[in-house]
Amino acid sequence: MNEMSKNFYQLFILNNHLLLQQAFIYKILNSQDNINLKATKPILADEYLIYANITLSQFIHKITLNPSMDFIFESASALLISNIENINSSNDNNDIKASYLNIIEKCLTKALNLSYNKDTPDVFRKVSLNILYLNIIKSFLLPYQFFIIKQETINKCAMLLELLKGLTYRRELFEIYNNKLLNYFSIKDGNNTFLWSSKKLEYDENIIKKFKNSINDNINYILYNKYLQEENIDYNTFQDKYINIIPDSWTVCSITFDIERNCFYICKYHKDMKPLIFHIPIKRHISHKKSTYFEFEKGLTYLRTLLYKENNNTEMTQYSSYTEDEKVNNITSEEKANWWNERIDLDRHLEELLIKMEVSWIGGFKGILCPMMKKYKKERLLFKKELEKFIGEMILKQDTLLEFDSNICDCFLYLKDEALDCELEDVIYYFLDYYQSYGIKVDYNMIDIDMYVRIFRNLLQKFENLNFYDFDEHIIIIPDKQTEIIPWENFPILHDKPTSRILSLSLLRDRILLMNYENHSKNDFYRDKYTINSDSAYYILNPGGDLINTQNKFQSQFEDKKKWLGMSGKAPTENEYLDGLNNYQLFMYFGHGGGECYIKGRTIRNHIKTKCAVTLLMGCSSGLLKSSGDYDPTGNSINYILGLCPALVANLWDVTDRDIDRLTQGLLEEWDILSSTTIENNESSPYYKMNLLFNNNNQRQSRENKFETKNTELSLSLSQSLVLARRRCRLKFLIGAATVIYGIPVYNSKKN
């Protein structure tokens, strides 16, 4: 009888799942009549997700039938604390049922709890994005007094945005630290064999008691405990555990794309500042704007096409088997010219694509990617007041003005007066929608947007002399798996700002804790700066023996460094490679790819004692990540990141040796690793000639002067050095944009 009951229960679960899948298909087909949820009862996380998705679809369908509310789904918005005093209540709520949203929220909460530790990361990702989108909708329903957005809600949404990134890595790191600690204890007991164990350290109180004094100050144990605590989601401690530990000179920008809703979520974090979350639809106000939208998938497809052409064009394919001497004798000057022309075209197309992505996708909200403003408090307050009057009095003719969030106004002040019309439209529509969310009706058809764009531009011109640029302010972006392929660091708004990337907020926290762990005895100036001594360096130069130009360029410079160790023109053993990562502060690899021919990924992940050296992998596509479906992306660079590498320099796509060598030389010189040599001026580069043609000497000088630092005791950071090194490339986008940094700002304490 028990066996029969068990079989019936399994059939019930299967039937239930099929019914929900069928309902979901109907939802995708937009067939509202065929959805019957009463016959189903969700059990698994993805079933609760489907149930919530269908119910949310029905709710949205009802809202879109209301002409006064259809603006919600093409509006950009920020998730802010509700100001109850300013709500203009509406009685037009016949089609809006709060019970719908209550059901959706309960289903999503259930799915969230079921999926975090057990399900595929993609289920948890979809659940988290649905919770965020649900709260975005709620923020527009304030006039109906169903929901009030509180700070706890914003913290919850911000934390979920970060937890959905890198869930695969967090699960793997928990196991890595668990095994490292168990083997650490095993070695202390006299067993020198590396063990793989299914044993969980958290369940073995005897081990913890036995080695209590030696593990409390162990960075592996500190991080292990952090990942152990992450198994239980705690929104109340998010600000203290993740945000307030960020150094004051860093701004963190998290970028997430929701494919189902066709929108970006960009969240800005800074020490002692509440999370600022922007919801930016691709098709925002498409019914009112003159400009067309740029589809996300179309943009990525075009980017992949350019990179595919670059990968095939990196070498002159028909001569790839030739030696250098044979190339000189067999390649005509016309073939060289054609090859260069094709590469120059690719470089120009990539530059144009990045501009189009910034303008079309982020638009007037691009200031959220910039550092927090700290100067000009009086002027920023004046801008905020004038913006409130411009929107409230001039456009909407309101007697009572809504107060705008000061951090959001700061983001818009980054636009300056040279912003495009469509970017200024974004700002105006954002604030009009903000008024709408408080129940104040706006007739968009009666607004002369062209006139108000001109007025807004004049308003920005009043503040054009304010210089917000600070070369010592660092930006760390956290792209999700949909957006990590994009070279965000080379968007026009970021190209001159020290920017690095990391794959999750947890990985950033780990590096901050590592920095604090190593700097605990240092003075205040050094405490929030991760430093290395460049005398402790190991290099692998041309291990395959076929990058002769690279070897000739760097070998003598490296050998002049008497304290450095390394090898040129020969392949390392796995132990030699691992020794370079384990026992030196700087590790440099100049070969093909990311060294995967010489060391296994699991060796890096599992056999690094505490942390990996700061690493430069200058080979083709050394930082490329590949899609893994429902899981987080994979790639050779992930091994270094999971090995607690503080900063990893790598290339997102294939590069040519001569131009990447120029960038590397510039990077090591600006970082005070190598002594400065005569900088190659790119007189053969069309960009060099364009600079001479369009920029006078004073303009060029002022552009150089802005890259100044108040830091005189240390080198420039690695991120700052890369900004300057990219300028040495002949192809500043095709090659310069390929190189990125995974990690935090790193300084060289041993200045030349």
mmCIF file of all heavy atoms in Angstrom, residues 687-716:
data_model
loop_
_atom_site.group_PDB
_atom_site.id
_atom_site.type_symbol
_atom_site.label_atom_id
_atom_site.label_comp_id
_atom_site.label_asym_id
_atom_site.label_seq_id
_atom_site.Cartn_x
_atom_site.Cartn_y
_atom_site.Cartn_z
ATOM 1 N N TYR A 687 44.294 57.417 -35.876
ATOM 2 C CA TYR A 687 43.795 58.138 -34.714
ATOM 3 C C TYR A 687 44.792 59.210 -34.279
ATOM 4 O O TYR A 687 44.411 60.283 -33.831
ATOM 5 C CB TYR A 687 43.524 57.159 -33.560
ATOM 6 C CG TYR A 687 42.483 56.151 -33.953
ATOM 7 C CD1 TYR A 687 42.837 54.864 -34.322
ATOM 8 C CD2 TYR A 687 41.137 56.508 -33.989
ATOM 9 C CE1 TYR A 687 41.874 53.952 -34.723
ATOM 10 C CE2 TYR A 687 40.175 55.600 -34.375
ATOM 11 C CZ TYR A 687 40.548 54.325 -34.744
ATOM 12 O OH TYR A 687 39.603 53.432 -35.134
ATOM 13 N N TYR A 688 46.088 58.908 -34.410
ATOM 14 C CA TYR A 688 47.119 59.890 -34.081
ATOM 15 C C TYR A 688 46.985 61.104 -35.006
ATOM 16 O O TYR A 688 47.040 62.256 -34.571
ATOM 17 C CB TYR A 688 48.498 59.244 -34.222
ATOM 18 C CG TYR A 688 49.636 60.178 -33.929
ATOM 19 C CD1 TYR A 688 50.039 60.411 -32.617
ATOM 20 C CD2 TYR A 688 50.317 60.814 -34.961
ATOM 21 C CE1 TYR A 688 51.096 61.261 -32.344
ATOM 22 C CE2 TYR A 688 51.370 61.669 -34.696
ATOM 23 C CZ TYR A 688 51.756 61.887 -33.386
ATOM 24 O OH TYR A 688 52.791 62.735 -33.126
ATOM 25 N N LYS A 689 46.784 60.837 -36.300
ATOM 26 C CA LYS A 689 46.655 61.927 -37.270
ATOM 27 C C LYS A 689 45.383 62.731 -37.023
ATOM 28 O O LYS A 689 45.367 63.953 -37.155
ATOM 29 C CB LYS A 689 46.657 61.350 -38.690
ATOM 30 C CG LYS A 689 48.007 60.703 -39.052
ATOM 31 C CD LYS A 689 47.934 60.001 -40.383
ATOM 32 C CE LYS A 689 49.261 59.298 -40.713
ATOM 33 N NZ LYS A 689 49.196 58.526 -41.953
ATOM 34 N N MET A 690 44.303 62.035 -36.633
ATOM 35 C CA MET A 690 43.047 62.737 -36.333
ATOM 36 C C MET A 690 43.241 63.666 -35.133
ATOM 37 O O MET A 690 42.727 64.782 -35.114
ATOM 38 C CB MET A 690 41.939 61.717 -36.030
ATOM 39 C CG MET A 690 41.504 60.903 -37.223
ATOM 40 S SD MET A 690 40.364 61.790 -38.287
ATOM 41 C CE MET A 690 38.857 61.559 -37.375
ATOM 42 N N ASN A 691 43.987 63.201 -34.121
ATOM 43 C CA ASN A 691 44.245 64.045 -32.956
ATOM 44 C C ASN A 691 44.996 65.310 -33.346
ATOM 45 O O ASN A 691 44.710 66.404 -32.862
ATOM 46 C CB ASN A 691 45.043 63.272 -31.897
ATOM 47 C CG ASN A 691 44.177 62.277 -31.162
ATOM 48 O OD1 ASN A 691 42.969 62.423 -31.127
ATOM 49 N ND2 ASN A 691 44.803 61.262 -30.580
ATOM 50 N N LEU A 692 45.993 65.157 -34.222
ATOM 51 C CA LEU A 692 46.749 66.323 -34.675
ATOM 52 C C LEU A 692 45.858 67.286 -35.449
ATOM 53 O O LEU A 692 45.992 68.502 -35.361
ATOM 54 C CB LEU A 692 47.916 65.882 -35.564
ATOM 55 C CG LEU A 692 49.078 65.157 -34.880
ATOM 56 C CD1 LEU A 692 50.126 64.809 -35.926
ATOM 57 C CD2 LEU A 692 49.705 66.026 -33.798
ATOM 58 N N LEU A 693 44.929 66.727 -36.199
ATOM 59 C CA LEU A 693 44.087 67.540 -37.061
ATOM 60 C C LEU A 693 43.063 68.338 -36.265
ATOM 61 O O LEU A 693 42.829 69.511 -36.514
ATOM 62 C CB LEU A 693 43.377 66.637 -38.076
ATOM 63 C CG LEU A 693 42.502 67.321 -39.119
ATOM 64 C CD1 LEU A 693 43.354 68.235 -40.002
ATOM 65 C CD2 LEU A 693 41.797 66.273 -39.979
ATOM 66 N N PHE A 694 42.462 67.683 -35.264
ATOM 67 C CA PHE A 694 41.316 68.302 -34.597
ATOM 68 C C PHE A 694 41.622 68.878 -33.212
ATOM 69 O O PHE A 694 40.819 69.601 -32.660
ATOM 70 C CB PHE A 694 40.182 67.283 -34.449
ATOM 71 C CG PHE A 694 39.572 66.916 -35.764
ATOM 72 C CD1 PHE A 694 39.772 65.660 -36.310
ATOM 73 C CD2 PHE A 694 38.814 67.831 -36.477
ATOM 74 C CE1 PHE A 694 39.211 65.322 -37.526
ATOM 75 C CE2 PHE A 694 38.258 67.492 -37.692
ATOM 76 C CZ PHE A 694 38.457 66.237 -38.226
ATOM 77 N N ASN A 695 42.764 68.539 -32.622
ATOM 78 C CA ASN A 695 43.046 69.000 -31.266
ATOM 79 C C ASN A 695 44.293 69.870 -31.242
ATOM 80 O O ASN A 695 45.343 69.469 -31.713
ATOM 81 C CB ASN A 695 43.268 67.803 -30.327
ATOM 82 C CG ASN A 695 42.031 66.936 -30.244
ATOM 83 O OD1 ASN A 695 40.941 67.451 -30.121
ATOM 84 N ND2 ASN A 695 42.215 65.627 -30.311
ATOM 85 N N ASN A 696 44.166 71.060 -30.673
ATOM 86 C CA ASN A 696 45.356 71.894 -30.555
ATOM 87 C C ASN A 696 46.158 71.476 -29.324
ATOM 88 O O ASN A 696 45.734 70.663 -28.523
ATOM 89 C CB ASN A 696 44.976 73.381 -30.494
ATOM 90 C CG ASN A 696 44.098 73.687 -29.289
ATOM 91 O OD1 ASN A 696 44.307 73.162 -28.210
ATOM 92 N ND2 ASN A 696 43.099 74.558 -29.497
ATOM 93 N N ASN A 697 47.337 72.048 -29.185
ATOM 94 C CA ASN A 697 48.240 71.639 -28.105
ATOM 95 C C ASN A 697 47.638 71.861 -26.727
ATOM 96 O O ASN A 697 47.817 71.062 -25.821
ATOM 97 C CB ASN A 697 49.566 72.392 -28.214
ATOM 98 C CG ASN A 697 50.379 71.922 -29.404
ATOM 99 O OD1 ASN A 697 50.263 70.771 -29.801
ATOM 100 N ND2 ASN A 697 51.184 72.806 -29.969
ATOM 101 N N ASN A 698 46.909 72.976 -26.554
ATOM 102 C CA ASN A 698 46.319 73.263 -25.244
ATOM 103 C C ASN A 698 45.282 72.217 -24.860
ATOM 104 O O ASN A 698 45.193 71.804 -23.713
ATOM 105 C CB ASN A 698 45.674 74.655 -25.246
ATOM 106 C CG ASN A 698 46.713 75.754 -25.323
ATOM 107 O OD1 ASN A 698 47.850 75.558 -24.886
ATOM 108 N ND2 ASN A 698 46.336 76.897 -25.877
ATOM 109 N N GLN A 699 44.494 71.793 -25.844
ATOM 110 C CA GLN A 699 43.482 70.775 -25.573
ATOM 111 C C GLN A 699 44.142 69.457 -25.187
ATOM 112 O O GLN A 699 43.712 68.775 -24.261
ATOM 113 C CB GLN A 699 42.586 70.580 -26.801
ATOM 114 C CG GLN A 699 41.619 71.734 -27.034
ATOM 115 C CD GLN A 699 40.871 71.574 -28.338
ATOM 116 O OE1 GLN A 699 41.440 71.184 -29.354
ATOM 117 N NE2 GLN A 699 39.594 71.873 -28.319
ATOM 118 N N ARG A 700 45.213 69.096 -25.904
ATOM 119 C CA ARG A 700 45.897 67.834 -25.589
ATOM 120 C C ARG A 700 46.526 67.906 -24.196
ATOM 121 O O ARG A 700 46.499 66.956 -23.426
ATOM 122 C CB ARG A 700 46.961 67.528 -26.651
ATOM 123 C CG ARG A 700 46.362 67.148 -27.986
ATOM 124 C CD ARG A 700 47.373 66.346 -28.810
ATOM 125 N NE ARG A 700 48.586 67.097 -29.098
ATOM 126 C CZ ARG A 700 48.705 67.976 -30.095
ATOM 127 N NH1 ARG A 700 47.675 68.231 -30.880
ATOM 128 N NH2 ARG A 700 49.851 68.601 -30.309
ATOM 129 N N GLN A 701 47.085 69.093 -23.874
ATOM 130 C CA GLN A 701 47.720 69.254 -22.566
ATOM 131 C C GLN A 701 46.689 69.140 -21.450
ATOM 132 O O GLN A 701 46.919 68.487 -20.432
ATOM 133 C CB GLN A 701 48.420 70.614 -22.506
ATOM 134 C CG GLN A 701 49.221 70.834 -21.223
ATOM 135 C CD GLN A 701 50.382 69.875 -21.106
ATOM 136 O OE1 GLN A 701 51.017 69.555 -22.094
ATOM 137 N NE2 GLN A 701 50.640 69.390 -19.902
ATOM 138 N N SER A 702 45.507 69.762 -21.638
ATOM 139 C CA SER A 702 44.487 69.719 -20.592
ATOM 140 C C SER A 702 43.969 68.300 -20.404
ATOM 141 O O SER A 702 43.604 67.896 -19.317
ATOM 142 C CB SER A 702 43.329 70.657 -20.947
ATOM 143 O OG SER A 702 42.661 70.199 -22.112
ATOM 144 N N ARG A 703 43.951 67.533 -21.501
ATOM 145 C CA ARG A 703 43.487 66.149 -21.393
ATOM 146 C C ARG A 703 44.486 65.328 -20.576
ATOM 147 O O ARG A 703 44.122 64.457 -19.808
ATOM 148 C CB ARG A 703 43.301 65.563 -22.795
ATOM 149 C CG ARG A 703 42.546 64.254 -22.787
ATOM 150 C CD ARG A 703 41.940 63.922 -24.144
ATOM 151 N NE ARG A 703 42.897 63.953 -25.213
ATOM 152 C CZ ARG A 703 42.876 64.838 -26.201
ATOM 153 N NH1 ARG A 703 41.941 65.767 -26.222
ATOM 154 N NH2 ARG A 703 43.781 64.824 -27.162
ATOM 155 N N GLU A 704 45.786 65.624 -20.731
ATOM 156 C CA GLU A 704 46.788 64.915 -19.941
ATOM 157 C C GLU A 704 46.706 65.317 -18.470
ATOM 158 O O GLU A 704 46.877 64.508 -17.574
ATOM 159 C CB GLU A 704 48.191 65.217 -20.488
ATOM 160 C CG GLU A 704 48.448 64.684 -21.894
ATOM 161 C CD GLU A 704 48.325 63.174 -21.989
ATOM 162 O OE1 GLU A 704 48.607 62.495 -20.985
ATOM 163 O OE2 GLU A 704 47.925 62.680 -23.053
ATOM 164 N N ASN A 705 46.462 66.623 -18.212
ATOM 165 C CA ASN A 705 46.479 67.123 -16.843
ATOM 166 C C ASN A 705 45.374 66.513 -15.986
ATOM 167 O O ASN A 705 45.493 66.476 -14.768
ATOM 168 C CB ASN A 705 46.342 68.652 -16.836
ATOM 169 C CG ASN A 705 47.609 69.325 -17.320
ATOM 170 O OD1 ASN A 705 48.665 68.715 -17.346
ATOM 171 N ND2 ASN A 705 47.500 70.581 -17.712
ATOM 172 N N LYS A 706 44.312 66.072 -16.597
ATOM 173 C CA LYS A 706 43.214 65.556 -15.779
ATOM 174 C C LYS A 706 43.558 64.209 -15.151
ATOM 175 O O LYS A 706 42.955 63.814 -14.169
ATOM 176 C CB LYS A 706 41.930 65.455 -16.606
ATOM 177 C CG LYS A 706 41.808 64.252 -17.506
ATOM 178 C CD LYS A 706 40.417 64.246 -18.129
ATOM 179 C CE LYS A 706 40.167 63.001 -18.951
ATOM 180 N NZ LYS A 706 38.820 62.972 -19.505
ATOM 181 N N PHE A 707 44.562 63.499 -15.699
ATOM 182 C CA PHE A 707 44.950 62.213 -15.127
ATOM 183 C C PHE A 707 45.960 62.434 -13.999
ATOM 184 O O PHE A 707 47.077 61.937 -14.037
ATOM 185 C CB PHE A 707 45.532 61.291 -16.204
ATOM 186 C CG PHE A 707 44.551 60.937 -17.277
ATOM 187 C CD1 PHE A 707 44.788 61.288 -18.597
ATOM 188 C CD2 PHE A 707 43.388 60.252 -16.987
ATOM 189 C CE1 PHE A 707 43.887 60.969 -19.594
ATOM 190 C CE2 PHE A 707 42.474 59.929 -17.983
ATOM 191 C CZ PHE A 707 42.724 60.287 -19.285
ATOM 192 N N GLU A 708 45.550 63.211 -13.026
ATOM 193 C CA GLU A 708 46.413 63.505 -11.898
ATOM 194 C C GLU A 708 45.906 62.759 -10.668
ATOM 195 O O GLU A 708 44.718 62.496 -10.528
ATOM 196 C CB GLU A 708 46.446 65.018 -11.618
ATOM 197 C CG GLU A 708 47.117 65.819 -12.719
ATOM 198 C CD GLU A 708 47.113 67.306 -12.426
ATOM 199 O OE1 GLU A 708 46.420 67.706 -11.470
ATOM 200 O OE2 GLU A 708 47.787 68.052 -13.148
ATOM 201 N N THR A 709 46.839 62.435 -9.765
ATOM 202 C CA THR A 709 46.470 61.721 -8.557
ATOM 203 C C THR A 709 47.007 62.453 -7.339
ATOM 204 O O THR A 709 48.073 63.063 -7.383
ATOM 205 C CB THR A 709 47.017 60.277 -8.584
ATOM 206 O OG1 THR A 709 46.751 59.646 -7.325
ATOM 207 C CG2 THR A 709 48.510 60.243 -8.858
ATOM 208 N N LYS A 710 46.237 62.403 -6.258
ATOM 209 C CA LYS A 710 46.692 62.991 -4.994
ATOM 210 C C LYS A 710 47.571 62.010 -4.230
ATOM 211 O O LYS A 710 48.150 62.333 -3.204
ATOM 212 C CB LYS A 710 45.476 63.391 -4.154
ATOM 213 C CG LYS A 710 44.614 64.475 -4.799
ATOM 214 C CD LYS A 710 43.459 64.886 -3.942
ATOM 215 C CE LYS A 710 42.343 63.852 -3.946
ATOM 216 N NZ LYS A 710 41.649 63.757 -5.230
ATOM 217 N N ASN A 711 47.663 60.776 -4.735
ATOM 218 C CA ASN A 711 48.450 59.733 -4.092
ATOM 219 C C ASN A 711 49.920 59.867 -4.502
ATOM 220 O O ASN A 711 50.282 59.649 -5.647
ATOM 221 C CB ASN A 711 47.888 58.366 -4.507
ATOM 222 C CG ASN A 711 48.834 57.233 -4.205
ATOM 223 O OD1 ASN A 711 49.598 57.289 -3.253
ATOM 224 N ND2 ASN A 711 48.786 56.197 -5.030
ATOM 225 N N THR A 712 50.767 60.241 -3.548
ATOM 226 C CA THR A 712 52.191 60.419 -3.852
ATOM 227 C C THR A 712 53.064 59.338 -3.221
ATOM 228 O O THR A 712 54.246 59.238 -3.536
ATOM 229 C CB THR A 712 52.673 61.798 -3.354
ATOM 230 O OG1 THR A 712 52.406 61.896 -1.948
ATOM 231 C CG2 THR A 712 51.960 62.914 -4.093
ATOM 232 N N GLU A 713 52.489 58.538 -2.343
ATOM 233 C CA GLU A 713 53.286 57.535 -1.639
ATOM 234 C C GLU A 713 53.341 56.201 -2.369
ATOM 235 O O GLU A 713 54.248 55.395 -2.146
ATOM 236 C CB GLU A 713 52.727 57.328 -0.224
ATOM 237 C CG GLU A 713 52.813 58.581 0.648
ATOM 238 C CD GLU A 713 52.412 58.306 2.082
ATOM 239 O OE1 GLU A 713 52.742 57.218 2.585
ATOM 240 O OE2 GLU A 713 51.760 59.177 2.693
ATOM 241 N N LEU A 714 52.359 55.958 -3.219
ATOM 242 C CA LEU A 714 52.300 54.693 -3.949
ATOM 243 C C LEU A 714 52.275 54.964 -5.441
ATOM 244 O O LEU A 714 52.163 56.107 -5.892
ATOM 245 C CB LEU A 714 51.044 53.905 -3.545
ATOM 246 C CG LEU A 714 50.939 53.446 -2.091
ATOM 247 C CD1 LEU A 714 49.538 52.935 -1.812
ATOM 248 C CD2 LEU A 714 51.965 52.366 -1.789
ATOM 249 N N SER A 715 52.328 53.897 -6.216
ATOM 250 C CA SER A 715 52.158 54.018 -7.664
ATOM 251 C C SER A 715 50.703 54.348 -7.974
ATOM 252 O O SER A 715 49.846 54.400 -7.088
ATOM 253 C CB SER A 715 52.508 52.678 -8.320
ATOM 254 O OG SER A 715 51.488 51.722 -7.996
ATOM 255 N N LEU A 716 50.402 54.564 -9.235
ATOM 256 C CA LEU A 716 49.013 54.537 -9.671
ATOM 257 C C LEU A 716 48.458 53.142 -9.406
ATOM 258 O O LEU A 716 49.204 52.173 -9.291
ATOM 259 C CB LEU A 716 48.910 54.851 -11.160
ATOM 260 C CG LEU A 716 49.296 56.254 -11.637
ATOM 261 C CD1 LEU A 716 49.180 56.333 -13.156
ATOM 262 C CD2 LEU A 716 48.446 57.323 -10.989
#
